[in-house]
Amino acid sequence: MYLLFIQFNNYSHIIFTWALQILLLFIAYAIFNPLGKKLITSALKKSTKRQNISEARVLTLEKLLLNIYSYLLIFIFIVMLFGVFNLPLGPLLASAGVLGLAVGFGAQGLVSDIVTGFFLLLEKQIEVGEYVSTAGYEGIIEEVGLRTTKLRSFDGTLNFIPNRQLEGVSNHSRGTMRALVDIGISYDENIDHAMEVLQTVCTQFQTDERFVDGPSVLGVQSFGSSDIVLRIIGQTQNMEQWSAERSIRKAIKEAFDQANIEIPFPHQVNIMKEN
């Protein structure tokens, strides 16, 4: 009976030690996880200020480094957890190596994701906050990770795209953007007069901060079934093209109303046949 009591005390002491060490591990993880992320963020911002790196590049590197740090911290936590239970890591790593060979062919996609993500960052093809089209998606880059890239569509959908699928990337955020407005006038209207009104509207927008060059009237773009299409074009700041186009369309409608220039719209003709 005495031996059982001693054995029970030993087991209780071992379990208490394990529980205490595990608790300390969780506390250490809870401390180092946010602390390390803050240090990475602050160190990256200080170093990039000295090197004049763009804000988009800073955000891209920050999210990637935080991603790597999280994986590394979890790996260290698991290794130390094995140490709490005195489990040898050698056989575990050996078995993991055998398992890795067994599933190596199945992991080719994962390796391809990591390699592709590395070259995306190295070649600066995309960065956080940029508007891109790739892999059948279109939107704003929110994160470039080791395995996947997060792209937010304009309808709010967050797309998780494996890096290996990011082929034929079209980056719309490098340099100025084009604002293009086509407007139709009736065949009965005087084209020169309509172009003069449009040029007056364009002149008003040439002092707009959104525009880098223009806008200006190009002339007659095409002949439609019921209208003559005139085109306006200009170069805007990044991501300002849609806002500029909406403002120009509103101004054109107001100017055409004042000048009594008709913008064609569908007409319906009813023919009444008398018996």
Side-chain angles (χ1 to χ4, degrees), residues 20 24 34 67 69 86 119 124 139 145 161 175 183 243 260 267 271:
L20 181 61
L24 292 175
N67 200 346
Y69 175 75
N86 294 321
F119 281 105
K124 300 181 181 180
I161 309 173
I183 187 73
S243 172
N260 294 321
H267 292 76
I271 301 176

Side-chain angles (χ1 to χ4, degrees), residues 13-34:
H13 178 72
I14 293 173
I15 293 174
F16 176 77
T17 303
W18 284 352
L20 181 61
Q21 291 177 341
I22 293 173
L23 178 62
L24 292 175
L25 276 178
F26 276 104
I27 293 175
Y29 180 83
I31 294 174
F32 282 101
N33 187 34

Side-chain angles (χ1 to χ4, degrees), residues 51-262:
Q51 300 176 10
N52 295 324
I53 301 178
S54 66
E55 184 178 354
R57 186 65 176 172
V58 172
L59 289 174
T60 304
L61 293 175
E62 179 183 352
K63 290 184 178 293
L64 179 63
L65 290 176
L66 291 178
N67 200 346
I68 295 174
Y69 175 75
S70 297
Y71 287 133
L72 182 61
L73 198 62
I74 291 174
F75 175 76
I76 295 175
F77 177 82
I78 293 175
V79 171
M80 296 185 69
L81 188 62
F82 273 91
V84 170
F85 297 103
N86 294 321
L87 295 175
L89 290 176
L92 178 65
L93 294 176
S95 61
V98 175
L99 181 62
L101 291 175
V103 300
F105 291 102
Q108 289 181 359
L110 176 61
V111 175
S112 178
D113 287 336
I114 296 174
V115 173
T116 304
F118 172 77
F119 281 105
L120 284 173
L121 294 171
L122 183 65
E123 298 173 358
K124 300 181 181 180
Q125 296 183 21
I126 57 176
E127 293 180 353
V128 173
E130 291 185 329
Y131 163 39
V132 303
S133 301
T134 181
Y137 299 94
E138 185 176 6
I140 306 299
I141 296 293
E142 289 198 355
E143 181 178 332
V144 181
L146 287 175
R147 194 180 66 85
T148 61
T149 293
K150 297 179 183 179
L151 184 145
R152 178 82 63 178
S153 299
F154 292 112
D155 63 355
T157 304
L158 182 60
N159 306 288
F160 295 83
I161 309 173
N163 289 337
R164 65 181 181 276
Q165 295 182 8
L166 299 178
E167 298 179 352
V169 178
S170 298
N171 194 321
H172 307 287
S173 295
R174 304 288 172 89
T176 58
M177 304 300 292
R178 184 183 69 176
L180 185 148
V181 175
D182 286 338
I183 187 73
I185 62 172
S186 171
Y187 277 95
D188 296 330
E189 299 294 341
N190 186 297
I191 296 178
D192 292 332
H193 176 53
M195 291 178 61
E196 289 176 1
V197 174
L198 290 179
Q199 189 58 52
T200 301
V201 173
C202 291
T203 303
Q204 296 173 0
F205 280 91
Q206 287 175 358
T207 57
D208 193 308
E209 294 181 352
R210 292 173 295 184
F211 281 93
V212 177
D213 183 31
S216 59
V217 181
L218 287 185
V220 178
Q221 176 62 24
S222 63
F223 296 99
S225 58
S226 61
D227 61 350
I228 301 173
V229 180
L230 305 179
R231 172 163 291 185
I232 291 175
I233 194 169
Q235 298 295 323
T236 71
Q237 299 284 352
N238 196 322
M239 301 299 290
E240 295 289 343
Q241 65 273 21
W242 299 300
S243 172
E245 289 174 353
R246 289 191 293 268
S247 298
I248 289 178
R249 291 189 185 99
K250 180 177 181 294
I252 290 174
K253 178 61 169 64
E254 294 172 348
F256 275 10
D257 288 344
Q258 292 180 359
N260 294 321
I261 297 176
E262 180 185 356

